[in-house]
Amino acid sequence: MSHNIFNALRRLILAEMARLFPALDAEVQARIEVSPTREAAHGDMATNAALIAAKPLGRPPREIATALAAALSALPDIAKAEPAGPGFVNLTLTDPVWHAEIAAILRAGEAFGASAMGQGRRVNVEYVSANPTGPLTVGHCRGAVVGDALASLLAKAGYDVTREYYINDAGAQVTALAWSVYWRYLQALGTQLTEHDFAAATPTGLQYPGDYLIPVAEALVAAHGDALAGPGLSIAPAEAWLDTVRRHAIESMMALIREDLAALNVRQDVFTSEAALIAAGGVERAEAILRGQDLLYEGVLEPPKGKTPEDWEPREQTLFRATGFGDDVDRPVRKSDGSNTYFFNDIANHADKMARGFDTMIDVWGADHGGYVKRMQAAVKALAAGRDASLDIVLCQIVRVMKDGTPMRMSKRAGTYIELRDLIDAVGPDVVRFIMLMRKSDAQMEFDLDAAVAQTRENPVFYVQYAHARCRSVLRAAAEMPELGDTVDAALAEAALASLTAPEELALVRRLAAWPRLVESAAQAREPHRIGFFLYDLAGDFHALWNAGRADATLRFIQADAVEASRARLALVAATAVVIRSGLAVMGVAPVEEMR
């Protein structure tokens, strides 16, 4: 059978259904699924084919299930096929089918699980996209890990993935940053101004008081001396320094952010500047697309019920007909003073992505942007103008970092929040990434620093890494026993595996064989956390087999007086290590060779 045993079995079922029921059309066949059973007593797999076909065929599902089960029972790879429930068919495969999966894993190596599902379609995944106003925080961490792992997962599933960071460098916040840097610049020069007097004289106040801006300001002094200051080291007119300081501040912050991302092993292929996009006419191009479809108009929105959003005005504005594309109300894209809303700039960003050839776009946002989802998806539908384009939004809830049972205190350097670097320095990037992927992204989570370093089953990082380390330990020990022969993966792929019949052994093989299906389903659902769950369950199956060997000597991996059985079990151990590494690679986590 194929490396994806579920897809292979589905093809067999479709062939039998087409033979038994020639009237069944392709649309119905496309909805037929094969999935693992929830209980081993019900077999290895189940199919919903009879349930799906019942209505189109006008026949009872149980009748169809009975006919399909009889046909499948005659196939050589099927040990048993039985109708079940209202119309399912439960299937038990022969042991040689499962044994073949071990050999397939060892031959494919870490590429096992790779899928052609994506068919090379181009996908843009945008994540992090934090305002360039300071180092990354724990609040940014989850989106960074989820986005990076999702991009790797989609690539594993056969998509052509571009990872993007959208630099929000055109709004009021970067102007506020520039004023904060300018204050540090005057301080570095020795100004007599007090912080209170400076803040009172600025249009923004001191919004970014963190010490991380001190070296940024010192670099300004090194480059410009006191040329940007006013007489007596006072505040010079903004037009004399604002553009210079803002540009320097953004460049410095982005360098800091890139360092933080590198420390977390997060990467992006493209960094797109909002300011550069606007300067290049991106908003005007998006506007032309929408006006060409009569989707923009001048109007006054009704006052909203409850909390008033920032973009509502009781005056005439330029509005986008968002209600025509699934949104609750039409949305302002230009304010009454003629300036663009943030929404208009975001429309331009997605129009630019589509102009670059991306019809599938995925944005990873903080959960506080949940109210923004409908309008942005409406805008993409409008921009598509008949193209098969889509925007998926993955929301990430907040993370609370706990230490000794209490929330971790803010960073002294940042002043108002916990820096990402604090978390990485505490437990390392691999632990951060793994734990961030052990809960669904839209569920709140607590990151317990004490649990993250505990060597117990409750610590999923340790539990999975320990399984891989145990595999490698067994294989190292076997390599020192000449009587067992060559123990590299390629040699073990040719081992005779008929001796693998114990329930614990076959349970482990079934789990390994489910990895390709998991890759496809997780990629379709945009849920990389499923990988962490899968690896945790896989580690549990392996540890169970390890413990069974301690209780029953016949199940031990290495038995000097049973070479063929030992090589079979070594093949299973090696295959387990391969799949763990394959999963960890998607998560962006390095496997360990031994626990220290």
Side-chain angles (χ1 to χ4, degrees):
M1 284 192 172
S2 162
H3 289 179
N4 188 328
I5 195 170
F6 292 89
N7 288 349
L9 195 62
R10 181 176 179 273
R11 287 192 293 270
L12 288 179
I13 290 169
L14 290 177
E16 291 302 314
M17 288 292 288
R19 184 179 65 81
L20 293 169
F21 311 107
L24 211 58
D25 62 33
E27 186 277 330
V28 175
Q29 293 184 35
R31 293 187 285 125
I32 291 175
E33 298 177 353
V34 177
S35 56
T37 56
R38 293 186 178 181
E39 297 181 22
H42 297 160
D44 299 325
M45 301 178 184
T47 179
N48 64 348
L51 287 169
I52 295 298
K55 186 174 180 180
L57 293 175
R59 298 172 65 173
R62 185 78 182 189
E63 178 184 312
I64 298 172
T66 301
L68 178 60
L72 293 173
S73 295
L75 299 178
D77 290 334
I78 309 295
K80 184 167 57 175
E82 296 178 315
F88 290 98
V89 176
N90 290 341
L91 303 166
T92 301
L93 307 186
T94 63
D95 288 355
V97 172
W98 294 117
H99 297 157
E101 289 298 297
I102 298 175
I105 293 168
L106 294 175
R107 292 188 184 112
E110 291 174 37
F112 182 71
S115 169
M117 181 183 73
Q119 298 180 331
R121 289 191 297 273
R122 298 186 68 198
V123 178
N124 182 288
V125 184
E126 180 192 316
Y127 50 103
V128 188
S129 297
N131 292 326
T133 54
L136 294 181
T137 71
V138 169
H140 300 124
C141 175
R142 195 173 189 182
V145 172
V146 168
D148 197 54
L150 177 56
S152 295
L153 174 62
L154 290 166
K156 184 86 169 177
Y159 293 89
D160 180 3
V161 181
T162 295
R163 306 159 186 250
E164 187 150 345
Y165 187 119
Y166 182 58
I167 307 171
N168 298 116
D169 55 357
Q173 286 180 304
V174 291
T175 298
L177 172 71
W179 277 96
S180 297
V181 171
Y182 190 63
W183 164 241
R184 293 296 190 180
Y185 165 76
L186 293 179
Q187 273 192 316
L189 290 172
T191 183
Q192 297 302 304
L193 283 171
T194 66
E195 182 174 319
H196 178 270
D197 290 341
F198 180 88
T202 70
T204 64
L206 276 176
Q207 294 187 26
Y208 301 101
D211 291 348
Y212 65 89
L213 292 182
I214 293 175
V216 178
E218 290 173 345
L220 270 177
V221 173
H224 299 280
D226 62 2
L228 303 179
L233 303 182
S234 63
I235 303 173
E239 58 268 21
W241 60 266
L242 184 57
D243 286 347
T244 298
V245 174
R246 180 164 47 204
R247 183 170 54 253
H248 172 75
I250 291 170
E251 291 173 355
S252 300
M253 291 304 98
M254 285 309 302
L256 201 60
I257 287 170
R258 288 173 190 262
E259 290 175 5
D260 289 345
L261 291 173
L264 191 57
N265 298 323
V266 169
R267 67 179 181 87
Q268 270 105 354
D269 305 309
V270 177
F271 286 78
T272 298
S273 161
E274 179 185 12
L277 180 62
I278 294 169
V283 175
E284 288 76 14
R285 288 191 294 274
E287 182 174 5
I289 295 171
L290 297 179
R291 287 200 183 278
Q293 302 175 71
D294 191 28
L295 296 178
L296 299 182
Y297 68 98
E298 305 306 311
V300 180
L301 289 175
E302 293 292 323
K305 296 178 181 179
K307 185 177 179 181
T308 302
E310 292 181 2
D311 56 3
W312 182 80
E313 288 187 61
R315 291 178 290 276
E316 189 174 83
Q317 300 173 271
T318 303
L319 304 175
F320 162 56
R321 299 185 193 276
T323 50
F325 300 90
D327 200 359
D328 301 323
V329 296
D330 289 346
R331 302 290 181 176
V333 295
R334 190 165 284 132
K335 302 174 187 177
S336 58
D337 64 3
S339 63
N340 296 333
T341 63
Y342 288 118
F343 179 44
F344 213 174
N345 293 348
D346 287 340
I347 291 174
N349 173 35
H350 290 82
D352 178 66
K353 291 179 184 178
M354 293 170 69
R356 287 186 274 138
F358 296 107
D359 287 331
T360 302
M361 294 166 282
I362 303 170
D363 290 354
V364 180
W365 294 350
D368 56 332
H369 288 75
Y372 208 68
V373 172
K374 278 189 177 181
R375 73 185 71 180
M376 202 64 250
Q377 291 180 328
V380 168
K381 289 177 185 176
L383 292 168
R387 283 170 60 176
D388 184 19
S390 64
L391 171 65
D392 290 337
I393 306 296
V394 176
L395 295 177
C396 293
Q397 274 286 1
I398 61 171
V399 177
R400 287 204 314 163
V401 181
M402 308 295 288
K403 174 70 174 173
D404 299 326
T406 59
M408 187 174 169
R409 294 183 177 182
M410 67 185 68
S411 165
K412 292 180 180 179
R413 189 172 79 103
T416 57
Y417 48 77
I418 304 169
E419 290 187 40
L420 171 59
R421 281 299 183 94
D422 297 332
L423 191 57
I424 295 173
D425 290 345
V427 297
D430 285 345
V431 173
V432 172
R433 291 183 67 111
F434 200 110
I435 291 180
M436 289 291 174
L437 292 169
M438 278 305 292
R439 291 204 70 182
K440 199 170 184 293
S441 65
D442 60 2
Q444 293 187 8
M445 73 177 299
E446 290 185 351
F447 192 109
D448 190 325
L449 289 174
D450 300 310
V453 296
Q455 295 191 355
T456 66
R457 176 172 183 160
E458 284 65 42
N459 179 357
V461 191
F462 169 79
Y463 196 59
V464 172
Q465 292 283 31
Y466 191 29
H468 183 265
R470 274 181 158 176
C471 290
R472 298 299 299 156
S473 174
V474 170
L475 294 169
R476 283 194 298 271
E480 296 177 359
M481 300 174 64
E483 63 271 27
L484 294 179
D486 196 344
T487 57
V488 299
D489 288 0
L492 291 174
E494 307 304 321
L497 303 175
S499 59
L500 297 178
T501 58
E504 297 90 346
E505 294 168 334
L506 293 176
L508 179 56
V509 181
R510 291 186 190 99
R511 185 79 67 185
L512 296 172
W515 171 232
R517 180 179 183 272
L518 186 281
V519 168
E520 292 188 352
S521 62
Q524 286 178 320
R526 316 302 196 221
E527 293 184 344
H529 72 278
R530 295 189 189 187
I531 304 164
F533 291 172
F534 171 83
L535 290 180
Y536 187 82
D537 289 340
L538 172 58
D541 289 337
F542 178 77
H543 291 310
L545 180 56
W546 176 286
N547 292 330
R550 296 175 65 181
D552 181 353
T554 64
L555 291 178
R556 290 175 184 168
F557 297 127
I558 299 176
Q559 300 173 42
D561 58 347
V563 171
E564 186 172 289
S566 294
R567 287 186 60 79
R569 294 193 175 99
L570 289 172
L572 178 55
V573 170
T576 302
V578 165
V579 174
I580 291 175
R581 289 197 299 273
S582 182
L584 290 176
V586 176
M587 296 178 78
V589 175
V592 298
E593 290 290 307
E594 54 186 331
M595 304 301 290
R596 292 187 175 87

